PDB file of all heavy atoms in Angstrom:
ATOM      1  N   VAL A1080      34.304  20.497  28.542  1.00 78.00           N
ATOM      2  CA  VAL A1080      35.262  21.234  29.376  1.00 78.00           C
ATOM      3  C   VAL A1080      35.468  20.419  30.686  1.00 78.00           C
ATOM      4  O   VAL A1080      34.652  19.983  31.351  1.00 78.00           O
ATOM      5  CB  VAL A1080      34.762  22.620  29.781  1.00 78.00           C
ATOM      6  CG1 VAL A1080      35.689  23.289  30.693  1.00 78.00           C
ATOM      7  CG2 VAL A1080      34.542  23.525  28.483  1.00 78.00           C
ATOM      8  N   SER A1081      36.769  20.121  30.940  1.00 56.00           N
ATOM      9  CA  SER A1081      37.069  19.231  32.107  1.00 56.00           C
ATOM     10  C   SER A1081      36.637  19.631  33.324  1.00 56.00           C
ATOM     11  O   SER A1081      36.390  18.849  34.284  1.00 56.00           O
ATOM     12  CB  SER A1081      38.682  19.009  32.147  1.00 56.00           C
ATOM     13  OG  SER A1081      39.350  20.210  32.339  1.00 56.00           O
ATOM     14  N   SER A1082      36.482  20.905  33.600  1.00 45.00           N
ATOM     15  CA  SER A1082      36.004  21.393  34.857  1.00 45.00           C
ATOM     16  C   SER A1082      34.512  21.241  35.099  1.00 45.00           C
ATOM     17  O   SER A1082      34.010  21.524  36.188  1.00 45.00           O
ATOM     18  CB  SER A1082      36.446  22.826  35.029  1.00 45.00           C
ATOM     19  OG  SER A1082      35.761  23.637  34.098  1.00 45.00           O
ATOM     20  N   ASN A1083      33.765  20.882  34.054  1.00 47.00           N
ATOM     21  CA  ASN A1083      32.348  20.832  34.198  1.00 47.00           C
ATOM     22  C   ASN A1083      32.016  19.743  35.132  1.00 47.00           C
ATOM     23  O   ASN A1083      32.487  18.627  35.137  1.00 47.00           O
ATOM     24  CB  ASN A1083      31.630  20.505  32.825  1.00 47.00           C
ATOM     25  CG  ASN A1083      31.528  21.851  31.957  1.00 47.00           C
ATOM     26  OD1 ASN A1083      31.948  22.837  32.353  1.00 47.00           O
ATOM     27  ND2 ASN A1083      31.001  21.669  30.842  1.00 47.00           N
ATOM     28  N   THR A1084      31.047  20.028  36.091  1.00 45.00           N
ATOM     29  CA  THR A1084      30.589  18.985  36.937  1.00 45.00           C
ATOM     30  C   THR A1084      29.084  18.748  36.662  1.00 45.00           C
ATOM     31  O   THR A1084      28.438  19.559  35.917  1.00 45.00           O
ATOM     32  CB  THR A1084      30.696  19.516  38.410  1.00 45.00           C
ATOM     33  OG1 THR A1084      30.010  20.813  38.485  1.00 45.00           O
ATOM     34  CG2 THR A1084      32.126  19.700  38.828  1.00 45.00           C
ATOM     35  N   ALA A1085      28.605  17.723  37.326  1.00 47.00           N
ATOM     36  CA  ALA A1085      27.162  17.419  37.100  1.00 47.00           C
ATOM     37  C   ALA A1085      26.216  18.488  37.455  1.00 47.00           C
ATOM     38  O   ALA A1085      26.360  19.107  38.532  1.00 47.00           O
ATOM     39  CB  ALA A1085      26.790  16.123  37.789  1.00 47.00           C
ATOM     40  N   PRO A1086      25.236  18.847  36.591  1.00 46.00           N
ATOM     41  CA  PRO A1086      24.326  19.873  36.863  1.00 46.00           C
ATOM     42  C   PRO A1086      23.348  19.531  37.982  1.00 46.00           C
ATOM     43  O   PRO A1086      23.249  18.302  38.352  1.00 46.00           O
ATOM     44  CB  PRO A1086      23.580  20.135  35.645  1.00 46.00           C
ATOM     45  CG  PRO A1086      23.625  18.764  34.914  1.00 46.00           C
ATOM     46  CD  PRO A1086      24.952  18.177  35.334  1.00 46.00           C
ATOM     47  N   SER A1087      22.602  20.405  38.453  1.00 40.00           N
ATOM     48  CA  SER A1087      21.756  20.189  39.690  1.00 40.00           C
ATOM     49  C   SER A1087      20.350  19.907  39.146  1.00 40.00           C
ATOM     50  O   SER A1087      19.365  20.209  39.967  1.00 40.00           O
ATOM     51  CB  SER A1087      21.736  21.406  40.627  1.00 40.00           C
ATOM     52  OG  SER A1087      21.301  22.673  39.928  1.00 40.00           O
ATOM     53  N   PHE A1088      20.054  19.512  38.028  1.00 44.00           N
ATOM     54  CA  PHE A1088      18.740  19.285  37.507  1.00 44.00           C
ATOM     55  C   PHE A1088      18.141  18.056  38.280  1.00 44.00           C
ATOM     56  O   PHE A1088      18.914  17.112  38.819  1.00 44.00           O
ATOM     57  CB  PHE A1088      18.781  18.870  36.032  1.00 44.00           C
ATOM     58  CG  PHE A1088      19.437  19.818  35.129  1.00 44.00           C
ATOM     59  CD1 PHE A1088      20.457  19.393  34.241  1.00 44.00           C
ATOM     60  CD2 PHE A1088      19.282  21.172  35.289  1.00 44.00           C
ATOM     61  CE1 PHE A1088      21.063  20.358  33.454  1.00 44.00           C
ATOM     62  CE2 PHE A1088      19.834  22.128  34.526  1.00 44.00           C
ATOM     63  CZ  PHE A1088      20.762  21.613  33.601  1.00 44.00           C
ATOM     64  N   SER A1089      16.841  17.949  38.404  1.00 43.00           N
ATOM     65  CA  SER A1089      16.230  16.866  39.142  1.00 43.00           C
ATOM     66  C   SER A1089      16.514  15.561  38.389  1.00 43.00           C
ATOM     67  O   SER A1089      16.434  15.398  37.240  1.00 43.00           O
ATOM     68  CB  SER A1089      14.703  17.180  39.223  1.00 43.00           C
ATOM     69  OG  SER A1089      14.455  18.343  39.935  1.00 43.00           O
ATOM     70  N   ALA A1090      16.804  14.565  39.222  1.00 42.00           N
ATOM     71  CA  ALA A1090      16.976  13.221  38.661  1.00 42.00           C
ATOM     72  C   ALA A1090      15.724  12.676  38.072  1.00 42.00           C
ATOM     73  O   ALA A1090      14.629  12.854  38.515  1.00 42.00           O
ATOM     74  CB  ALA A1090      17.624  12.306  39.679  1.00 42.00           C
ATOM     75  N   ASP A1091      15.941  11.933  36.956  1.00 51.00           N
ATOM     76  CA  ASP A1091      14.859  11.228  36.348  1.00 51.00           C
ATOM     77  C   ASP A1091      14.742   9.818  36.800  1.00 51.00           C
ATOM     78  O   ASP A1091      15.829   9.170  36.836  1.00 51.00           O
ATOM     79  CB  ASP A1091      15.026  11.312  34.740  1.00 51.00           C
ATOM     80  CG  ASP A1091      13.830  10.800  34.092  1.00 51.00           C
ATOM     81  OD1 ASP A1091      13.756   9.605  33.883  1.00 51.00           O
ATOM     82  OD2 ASP A1091      12.992  11.719  33.684  1.00 51.00           O
ATOM     83  N   PRO A1092      13.519   9.309  37.132  1.00 45.00           N
ATOM     84  CA  PRO A1092      13.468   7.952  37.656  1.00 45.00           C
ATOM     85  C   PRO A1092      13.894   6.858  36.691  1.00 45.00           C
ATOM     86  O   PRO A1092      14.115   5.705  37.146  1.00 45.00           O
ATOM     87  CB  PRO A1092      11.937   7.759  37.997  1.00 45.00           C
ATOM     88  CG  PRO A1092      11.294   8.882  37.162  1.00 45.00           C
ATOM     89  CD  PRO A1092      12.308   9.969  37.027  1.00 45.00           C
ATOM     90  N   HIS A1093      13.965   7.187  35.407  1.00 51.00           N
ATOM     91  CA  HIS A1093      14.359   6.132  34.324  1.00 51.00           C
ATOM     92  C   HIS A1093      15.810   6.121  34.277  1.00 51.00           C
ATOM     93  O   HIS A1093      16.372   5.112  33.582  1.00 51.00           O
ATOM     94  CB  HIS A1093      13.731   6.553  33.090  1.00 51.00           C
ATOM     95  CG  HIS A1093      12.302   6.335  32.946  1.00 51.00           C
ATOM     96  ND1 HIS A1093      11.326   7.428  33.240  1.00 51.00           N
ATOM     97  CD2 HIS A1093      11.456   5.330  32.705  1.00 51.00           C
ATOM     98  CE1 HIS A1093      10.188   7.088  33.140  1.00 51.00           C
ATOM     99  NE2 HIS A1093      10.182   5.784  32.746  1.00 51.00           N
ATOM    100  N   GLU A1094      16.553   7.089  34.729  1.00 49.00           N
ATOM    101  CA  GLU A1094      18.009   7.156  34.499  1.00 49.00           C
ATOM    102  C   GLU A1094      18.793   6.034  35.297  1.00 49.00           C
ATOM    103  O   GLU A1094      18.526   5.906  36.480  1.00 49.00           O
ATOM    104  CB  GLU A1094      18.515   8.596  34.868  1.00 49.00           C
ATOM    105  CG  GLU A1094      20.007   8.654  34.852  1.00 49.00           C
ATOM    106  CD  GLU A1094      20.544   8.666  33.351  1.00 49.00           C
ATOM    107  OE1 GLU A1094      19.745   8.764  32.439  1.00 49.00           O
ATOM    108  OE2 GLU A1094      21.771   8.418  33.100  1.00 49.00           O
ATOM    109  N   ASP A1095      19.586   5.296  34.608  1.00 48.00           N
ATOM    110  CA  ASP A1095      20.300   4.256  35.248  1.00 48.00           C
ATOM    111  C   ASP A1095      21.655   4.792  35.743  1.00 48.00           C
ATOM    112  O   ASP A1095      22.296   5.470  35.023  1.00 48.00           O
ATOM    113  CB  ASP A1095      20.509   3.118  34.285  1.00 48.00           C
ATOM    114  CG  ASP A1095      21.491   1.995  34.850  1.00 48.00           C
ATOM    115  OD1 ASP A1095      20.845   1.306  35.620  1.00 48.00           O
ATOM    116  OD2 ASP A1095      22.588   1.982  34.477  1.00 48.00           O
ATOM    117  N   SER A1096      21.915   4.566  37.024  1.00 42.00           N
ATOM    118  CA  SER A1096      23.102   5.104  37.603  1.00 42.00           C
ATOM    119  C   SER A1096      24.130   4.067  37.932  1.00 42.00           C
ATOM    120  O   SER A1096      25.210   4.249  38.516  1.00 42.00           O
ATOM    121  CB  SER A1096      22.816   5.802  39.003  1.00 42.00           C
ATOM    122  OG  SER A1096      22.217   4.895  39.864  1.00 42.00           O
TER     123      SER A1096
END
Side-chain angles (χ1 to χ4, degrees):
V1080 175
S1081 59
S1082 61
N1083 282 1
T1084 57
S1087 58
F1088 308 131
S1089 299
D1091 188 276
H1093 294 89
E1094 175 69 15
D1095 174 75
S1096 60

